[in-house]
Amino acid sequence: MKTILDVCDLCTSFGPVRAVDRVSFSLRSGEVLGLVGESGSGKSVTGFSVIRLLDQPGHISGGRILFHGRDLASETEEGMRQLRGNRIAMIFQDPMMTLNPVLHIDTQMVEAVRAHQKVGVAEARRQARDALGAVGIPSPEERLAAYPHQFSGGMRQRVAIAIALLHNPDVIIADEPTTALDVTIQAQILSEVQRLVRERNTSLIWITHDLSVVAGLADRVAVMYSGRIVEHGPTDPVLDHALHPYTHGLIGSVPSRNRRGQRLAQIPGTTMSIDRRPPGCPFHTRCARAQDVCRTEPPPVSRGAEHTALCFFPMEEAARLEVVQ
Amino acid sequence: MATWLLRRMFQAALVILAMTVLVFVGVNVIGNPVDIMISPDATQEVRQRAIEALGFDQPLWRQYLTFLGNAVTGDIGKSYVFNQPALDVILQRLPATLELAVSALLLSILIGLPLGLLAGFRPDHPTSRAIMAGSIFGFSLPSFWVGLMLIMTFSVYLGWLPSIGRGQTVSVLGIEVSFLTLDGLKHLALPALNLALYQISMVLRLTRAGVRETLHQDFIKFARAKGLRPRRIVFVHVLKNILIPIVTVVGLGFGHTVAFSVVTETVFAWPGMGKLIIDAINVLDRPIIVAYLMMIVVLFVVINLLVDLTYTLLDPRIRLETQE
Ligand SMILES: Nc1ncnc2c1ncn2[C@@H]1O[C@H](COP(=O)(O)OP(=O)(O)OP(=O)(O)O)[C@@H](O)[C@H]1O
Ligand code: SF4
Ligand SMILES: [Mg+2]
């Protein structure tokens, strides 16, 4: 399969603070990558770096983002504009905030079509209507004339997904798109997106802190901690035989039916603030396996080419994830 | 919509009625016009006749009811000075004031909005800093002083623009206007700028604040993620979101501009209502004062109504029916 996106040693800084530190991953066509990690681990910043929509003073301070072999880190702003929404699309976390409250849905969709395609308003509107239909919005023709506040949260997220799919992009970056929705809607949107990207062979980066979502959706998983990818590999090995103690802890903290009644395991301590990262392994303050070397030396990459972890003492025993069905 | 409008009209009528009481009582407190109109050495008999002719021998409440009864039919009394219906005198001067106020309003939008956008999008640019610093003068310097400085600079020192009167006017639909002749425009320039200065500062500061706030919203980021051109993001996505506070300020500011054109009209001898009211107060020409104040009240009520209507056009989330 063809590699669409190849991120190599990406560093993103806010002033002196490195929010994303030497992150590397690649994405093949049609592949789904799950990017997991706790709040503040740098998942969103990674996503926004790829589409180059970082808030000030954030900037890419190192590495390459090769998209079809072209380095986005050094692309011009106009070059990026032509890619955004067209070849690389993004879906945000809070559907209540992503649509402009004072513009009709059709205005916001027609402009998105016409940003990348020289077509008339009528043709753009037709494409917008079809896109709404494709994401399961009933009577799309009438809904086009509505305002965002006339939609529910789930419906608004469908509109955002429809907008992201308008130009059949190569990559969609979805930044926790279901977190703000209630559980039944979450499941609907999840299976809808899964169907759509499979049909169109779109690559997907799905950012989440919910491992059970990743288990059912992703081909590969990257686990982030304190701005770094600490474990990376195909979904099943990573979830069944986690190498990194942090991943292991994450898996242990997912509630499951078989362990009902038992106390949920918790990772002790809280995330290290990225601007006060300790020397050595960033996880050593919370790691039960930490030795002296972890506190002073940066951990090496361990295990095979496909499944890797940044750790001196990777886990031996398997940590099992039982997904709540 | 219709019920909303009816309710608003009813409220407006109540406001106007309340204002008639205030105005009437207020005007009675400021002095007795008879003292000014009749020479001090007139006989007691002459005095008495004048007082009766003006109805001042009646108790205040009866005077008020008489006034109200007449006002409903559009008769606010005759000016003591012009010996014409006061409303007519006011209405003759209204176009000059409105022309000045509308010019000031346009200036405040044409200058304030672009400067505010610039200061909002490029907050660290030296020009933006200069604009923000300058705007402080805009609403802290007293209007009459700025007016005098404008005259000093552009009329006395540079000699570019005239400082007095409306200049040459042309009649459009029976109304005299200055802005259609070059001479009229020259006369309009300084007073309009003087009157607009405060509004310009308000509009630009508000625009800047709105832009700063809106830029951080997710929907702007999403608009960029769609690959929209920067121009479309600025002029559609940002601008449409910040227009609501601006419409409020500009709308209500227009009422203030009309009401407080008094100072500017006096400085530039602009023959509008403001100058008329100052003259009327000097000679206690009550009907003129009352007619003027009522005119201002009606103006504010109408502007408020228009501002509310504009809201619904700008913000789909506001529904008139549900407003209490
Ligand atoms: N606008 C910003 N200014 C300064 N620092 C920022 C900014 N945005 C992010 N950061 C830094 O980057 C770190 C990672 O943030 P990021 O939003 O990527 O976390 P996340 O993994 O997406 O978390 P969450 O699950 O809460 O969304 C933050 O802890 C913060 O230190
Ligand atoms: S390197 Fe050491 S501290 Fe870091 S995760 Fe591995 S064992 Fe724990
Ligand atoms: Mg995030």
Side-chain angles (χ1 to χ4, degrees):
Chain A
M1 264 189 298
K2 208 168 118 214
T3 297
I4 302 281
L5 185 68
D6 192 9
V7 175
C8 191
D9 284 332
L10 172 70
C11 298
T12 302
S13 311
F14 290 85
V17 181
R18 258 197 199 176
V20 165
D21 189 12
R22 284 166 286 160
V23 158
S24 303
F25 61 87
S26 63
L27 199 60
R28 286 178 286 237
S29 110
E31 192 176 40
V32 179
L33 172 72
L35 198 55
V36 296
E38 320 174 293
S39 196
S41 55
K43 307 182 297 292
S44 298
V45 173
T46 304
F48 283 120
S49 301
V50 171
I51 200 169
R52 286 257 312 269
L53 280 179
L54 292 162
D55 289 326
Q56 291 290 334
H59 64 280
I60 295 171
S61 51
R64 284 170 303 157
I65 304 166
L66 297 178
F67 178 69
H68 289 297
R70 170 174 164 194
D71 187 6
L72 301 186
S74 52
E75 186 57 62
T76 62
E77 185 49 38
E78 172 60 18
M80 280 313 296
R81 185 196 70 70
Q82 288 174 11
L83 289 176
R84 284 186 204 123
N86 185 11
R87 308 309 338 136
I88 307 176
M90 189 149 181
I91 310 169
F92 293 2
Q93 176 168 352
D94 188 355
M96 297 315 216
M97 311 296 294
T98 41
L99 297 171
N100 192 326
V102 301
L103 299 176
H104 285 111
I105 298 295
D106 58 357
T107 311
Q108 304 192 45
M109 294 192 76
V110 165
E111 66 180 6
V113 174
R114 283 162 45 104
H116 304 293
Q117 236 178 304
K118 279 196 161 51
V119 293
V121 173
E123 165 61 16
R125 204 166 187 283
R126 196 190 57 71
Q127 291 186 19
R129 188 197 55 209
D130 293 349
L132 284 188
V135 297
I137 290 183
S139 47
E141 182 63 44
E142 289 152 44
R143 302 307 269 157
L144 270 181
Y147 282 104
H149 73 271
Q150 294 166 308
F151 286 77
S152 68
M155 281 297 161
R156 286 194 218 188
Q157 198 60 295
R158 283 171 195 266
V159 172
I161 293 167
I163 290 176
L165 288 170
L166 275 174
H167 297 280
N168 264 323
D170 300 325
V171 180
I172 296 180
I173 302 165
D175 188 358
E176 310 203 33
T178 57
T179 310
L181 305 172
D182 67 55
V183 186
T184 45
I185 310 287
Q186 266 186 28
Q188 283 173 17
I189 298 242
L190 200 64
S191 66
E192 199 82 36
V193 171
Q194 204 166 11
R195 178 179 63 80
L196 288 163
V197 295
R198 199 166 290 160
E199 275 172 15
R200 299 160 190 238
N201 203 32
T202 312
S203 310
L204 182 64
I205 299 177
W206 190 277
I207 297 175
T208 180
H209 50 251
D210 189 346
L211 274 175
S212 56
V213 167
V214 163
L217 177 71
D219 301 309
R220 285 195 303 144
V221 182
V223 181
M224 286 193 79
Y225 185 81
S226 185
R228 300 213 64 175
I229 291 185
V230 293
E231 181 154 7
H232 186 190
T235 306
D236 289 344
V238 170
L239 295 187
D240 294 343
H241 309 283
L243 297 174
H244 198 281
Y246 174 64
T247 315
H248 194 84
L250 273 186
I251 293 168
S253 60
V254 174
S256 103
R257 212 183 326 177
N258 299 2
R259 283 178 295 177
R260 184 153 53 184
Q262 282 174 274
R263 278 195 61 168
L264 278 180
Q266 262 189 356
I267 305 173
T270 50
T271 319
M272 197 48 55
S273 160
I274 285 183
D275 49 334
R276 279 183 285 114
R277 209 178 274 141
C281 171
F283 191 55
H284 79 240
T285 51
R286 302 166 69 187
C287 182
R289 303 166 71 87
Q291 310 278 326
D292 282 345
V293 63
C294 303
R295 288 180 252 281
T296 50
E297 303 291 322
V301 179
S302 37
R303 288 285 167 86
E306 273 288 285
H307 182 184
T308 59
L310 274 183
C311 181
F312 284 109
F313 311 106
M315 307 294 293
E316 304 299 333
E317 72 270 35
R320 300 222 167 270
L321 170 72
E322 289 114 26
V323 182
V324 189
Q325 298 301 331
Chain B
M1 179 75 199
T3 48
W4 176 84
L5 206 61
L6 264 175
R7 193 165 52 205
R8 282 301 300 261
M9 300 288 240
F10 180 68
Q11 284 170 358
L14 282 184
V15 168
I16 292 173
L17 190 68
M19 281 308 294
T20 58
V21 178
L22 286 178
V23 167
F24 194 82
V25 173
V27 166
N28 265 280
V29 171
I30 57 176
N32 188 347
V34 178
D35 296 338
I36 293 178
M37 289 194 310
I38 296 173
S39 83
D41 34 72
T43 65
Q44 192 58 31
E45 203 182 326
V46 173
R47 256 185 102 74
Q48 196 55 39
R49 229 184 294 133
I51 288 175
E52 274 167 31
L54 293 168
F56 293 154
D57 54 340
Q58 304 283 328
L60 194 60
W61 63 269
R62 179 158 297 173
Q63 286 183 41
Y64 172 72
L65 286 186
T66 314
F67 158 78
L68 198 62
N70 291 336
V72 170
T73 65
D75 172 14
I76 298 187
K78 266 188 176 174
S79 159
Y80 307 150
V81 176
F82 296 89
N83 203 26
Q84 282 176 25
L87 203 57
D88 290 0
V89 178
I90 289 283
L91 287 178
Q92 278 162 22
R93 304 292 196 94
L94 184 64
T97 296
L98 282 185
E99 183 175 26
L100 189 59
V102 170
S103 310
L105 181 86
L106 288 179
L107 279 182
S108 69
I109 296 171
L110 292 179
I111 299 178
L113 205 58
L115 291 187
L117 287 176
L118 178 70
F121 281 103
R122 298 256 176 280
D124 298 323
H125 196 276
T127 317
S128 304
R129 292 178 194 277
I131 290 170
M132 292 313 286
S135 73
I136 295 173
F137 292 109
F139 53 83
S140 53
L141 291 179
S143 172
F144 77 91
W145 186 82
V146 175
L148 292 176
M149 287 305 115
L150 286 175
I151 291 178
M152 283 291 289
T153 315
F154 292 99
S155 306
V156 178
Y157 184 65
L158 293 171
W160 291 351
L161 294 167
S163 64
I164 282 179
R166 290 185 82 178
Q168 191 188 347
T169 59
V170 286
S171 176
V172 178
L173 304 171
I175 296 168
E176 296 292 318
V177 294
S178 301
F179 73 94
L180 289 177
T181 69
L182 184 63
D183 184 54
L185 268 183
K186 280 185 176 173
H187 280 81
L188 188 57
L190 287 185
L193 185 64
N194 183 206
L195 196 55
L197 218 52
Y198 180 83
Q199 287 295 314
I200 293 175
S201 310
M202 286 300 282
V203 169
L204 89 80
R205 291 191 83 92
L206 211 67
T207 307
R208 184 192 119 102
V211 169
R212 300 302 309 146
E213 198 186 305
T214 309
L215 275 184
H216 289 288
Q217 304 276 343
D218 264 6
F219 63 78
I220 295 300
K221 217 171 186 184
F222 189 65
R224 295 179 64 204
K226 291 196 291 191
L228 298 188
R229 291 182 176 78
R231 207 174 332 133
R232 176 141 187 115
I233 293 177
V234 173
F235 291 107
V236 177
H237 285 261
V238 175
L239 197 58
K240 194 149 185 225
N241 266 281
I242 60 176
L243 275 182
I244 289 175
I246 293 175
V247 164
T248 317
V249 164
V250 167
L252 294 179
F254 182 68
H256 286 277
T257 310
V258 171
F260 301 108
S261 63
V262 173
V263 174
T264 299
E265 287 186 9
T266 308
V267 172
F268 291 91
W270 187 265
M273 292 194 304
K275 188 149 178 340
L276 180 69
I277 186 70
I278 291 291
D279 296 343
I281 290 171
N282 279 335
V283 297
L284 285 185
D285 192 349
R286 270 191 204 180
I288 294 281
I289 300 174
V290 172
Y292 173 81
L293 291 177
M294 293 318 298
M295 175 71 79
I296 296 293
V297 172
V298 172
L299 195 73
F300 265 91
V301 167
V302 171
I303 289 172
N304 260 320
L305 199 65
L306 290 180
V307 166
D308 282 352
L309 278 174
T310 320
Y311 278 174
T312 62
L313 295 181
L314 289 176
D315 192 339
R317 289 164 298 186
I318 299 175
R319 290 270 77 88
L320 295 179
E321 283 81 357
T322 58
Q323 261 182 10
E324 280 316 319

